[in-house]
């Protein structure tokens, strides 16, 4: 899945944890590692990074270090494109006063414009994080079959205990509002049919994939997918949320809240954003 995994590093207290988490993924996917640091290259920083790499026991032969000077977001994206990176790992920040997670403007820019998939870790650990409970966004969009395929591949590699695929019924309120003129029995039948259609949509995708022995549960909701995904992840204490992103922010996205932006504002758990 990932031939090259990149990690954007800063010399913060979390550098060892982020490198440990990324090393685990590099070993699982048999990938090359690219470490990207934006800032002036000095002998002191080189020595410090060399020490961290030594402690983490990273393969020197399969690890490339890139030093860049300039705007962090722009330089990280440039390095990912130049190195043809498949997955970029980044850390989110915790806002203690609100007990939520957030990404700054640089982080959001990277996620939106990255030429590759992005894994955002909210609490990286030196002993590494387990991805036991994994949730996918299965809402019907052009990228959803790819998201589910990608998520299944990732879940198999990390040996997830349980996978949930959550689907939003499009225009649920409108459809049920129209059905409300029918009898109670007909309304109930309409609701059942809407749910069954969503389940069949996911099952048709899954039928084409090698799922090995993954335990997969399909859930259907009538609410907005971003809100419902966040709630569901919190409810089951999910370790990872997998969503797709095939859109670039346009003028209207900057005026009105965007579903993905809602997720980035209050990350319920680690987030894997899949891009083609």
């Amino acid at each position: 899945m990932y031939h090259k995994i990149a990690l954007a590093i800063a010399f913060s207290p979390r550098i060892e944890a982020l490198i440990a988490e990324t090393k685990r993924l590099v070993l699982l996917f048999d990938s090359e590692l690219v470490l990207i640091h934006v800032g002036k290259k000095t002998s002191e920083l080189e020595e410090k990074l060399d020490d961290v790499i030594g402690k983490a026991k990273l393969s020197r032969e399969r690890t490339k270090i890139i030093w860049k000077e300039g705007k962090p977001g722009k330089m990280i994206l440039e390095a990912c494109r130049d190195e043809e990176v498949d997955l970029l790992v980044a850390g989110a920040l915790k806002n203690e006063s609100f007990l939520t997670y957030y990404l700054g403007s640089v982080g959001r820019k990277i996620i939106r414009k990255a030429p590759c998939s992005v894994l955002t870790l909210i609490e990286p650990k030196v002993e590494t994080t387990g991805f036991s409970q994994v949730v996918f966004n299965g809402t019907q969009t052009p990228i959803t079959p790819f998201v589910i395929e990608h998520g299944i591949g990732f879940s198999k590699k990390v040996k997830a205990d349980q996978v949930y695929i959550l689907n939003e019924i499009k225009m649920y309120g409108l459809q049920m509002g129209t059905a409300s003129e029918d009898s109670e029995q007909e309304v109930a039948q309409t609701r059942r049919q809407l749910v069954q259609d969503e389940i069949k949509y996911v099952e048709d995708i899954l039928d084409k994939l090698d799922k090995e022995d993954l335990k997969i549960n399909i859930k259907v909701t009538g609410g907005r997918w971003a809100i419902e995904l966040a709630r569901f992840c919190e409810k089951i204490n999910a370790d990872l949320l997998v969503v797709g992103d095939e859109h670039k922010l346009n003028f209207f996205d900057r005026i009105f809240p965007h579903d993905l932006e809602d997720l980035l504002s209050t990350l319920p758990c680690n987030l894997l954003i899949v891009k083609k």
Side-chain angles (χ1 to χ4, degrees):
M1 283 179 65
Y2 306 127
H3 299 292
K4 278 190 182 181
I5 297 177
L7 171 64
I9 57 171
F11 290 93
S12 70
R14 301 198 307 165
I15 185 173
E16 290 186 14
L18 282 167
I19 285 180
E21 296 279 18
T22 307
K23 178 189 174 184
R24 178 195 177 205
L25 295 172
V26 164
L27 293 176
L28 279 175
F29 292 98
D30 191 23
S31 311
E32 293 179 35
L33 174 61
V34 179
L35 298 177
I36 307 166
H37 176 70
V38 180
K40 191 172 182 180
K41 182 179 180 180
T42 67
S43 56
E44 183 184 354
L45 289 180
E46 276 191 288
E47 188 177 330
K48 188 179 289 188
L49 183 56
D50 189 64
D51 184 53
V52 172
I53 289 173
K55 284 182 179 177
K57 296 180 180 178
L58 292 177
S59 167
R60 303 275 179 173
E61 293 76 24
R62 304 200 70 183
T63 301
K64 183 174 183 178
I65 304 170
I66 295 177
W67 299 80
K68 281 183 172 289
E69 290 188 46
K71 293 182 178 180
K74 183 180 179 181
M75 293 299 103
I76 291 169
L77 293 173
E78 185 179 278
C80 287
R81 282 191 291 268
D82 291 346
E83 294 298 321
E84 298 182 339
V85 168
D86 303 298
L87 177 69
L88 173 64
V89 181
L93 301 174
K94 186 175 181 181
N95 184 337
E96 298 288 356
S97 59
F98 293 100
L99 297 178
T100 57
Y101 298 88
Y102 68 92
L103 288 173
S105 58
V106 172
R108 287 168 188 260
K109 180 179 180 180
I110 289 170
I111 284 174
R112 274 298 178 188
K113 297 187 176 182
C116 57
S117 296
V118 181
L119 175 63
T120 303
L121 300 173
I122 58 176
E123 286 185 337
K125 302 178 180 69
V126 173
E127 63 272 21
T128 71
T129 299
F131 298 111
S132 175
Q133 305 286 315
V134 182
V135 180
F136 303 171
N137 175 29
T139 298
Q140 295 191 38
T141 66
I143 200 175
T144 298
F146 182 72
V147 171
I148 292 176
E149 180 182 4
H150 196 99
I152 291 293
F154 190 95
S155 299
K156 289 193 299 185
K157 279 288 185 182
V158 300
K159 301 189 184 304
D161 291 329
Q162 180 73 56
V163 169
Y164 298 90
I165 303 177
L166 189 68
N167 278 44
E168 172 199 0
I169 299 174
K170 293 287 187 180
M171 296 186 291
Y172 177 76
L174 178 62
Q175 295 190 69
M176 292 309 299
T178 304
S180 64
E181 298 175 6
D182 301 327
S183 68
E184 235 178 86
Q185 187 176 356
E186 288 172 321
V187 170
Q189 176 58 34
T190 298
R191 186 182 291 109
R192 280 195 297 272
Q193 188 60 54
L194 290 173
V195 171
Q196 287 168 6
D197 289 346
E198 291 299 324
I199 292 174
K200 185 177 186 307
Y201 169 74
V202 175
E203 287 178 338
D204 287 346
I205 295 171
L206 291 174
D207 283 345
K208 301 171 186 174
L209 303 176
D210 176 12
K211 302 170 288 295
E212 292 182 358
D213 56 353
L214 281 178
K215 295 178 183 177
I216 302 172
N217 198 321
I218 304 169
K219 301 283 186 180
V220 180
T221 175
R224 277 181 56 197
W225 67 263
I227 295 171
E228 294 302 325
L229 279 170
R231 286 176 180 165
F232 186 73
C233 287
E234 289 172 354
K235 180 182 175 182
I236 68 164
N237 197 25
D239 302 299
L240 179 68
L241 172 58
V242 182
V243 303
D245 181 28
E246 57 185 345
H247 306 291
K248 294 180 179 179
L249 277 178
N250 57 33
F251 176 73
F252 292 102
D253 287 323
R254 288 193 288 268
I255 295 176
F256 301 105
H258 191 279
D259 284 331
L260 186 53
E261 291 295 305
D262 290 344
L263 277 178
L264 297 179
S265 297
T266 54
L267 290 182
C269 58
N270 300 306
L271 180 66
L272 174 60
I273 300 176
V274 177
K275 301 192 181 191
K276 274 192 172 182

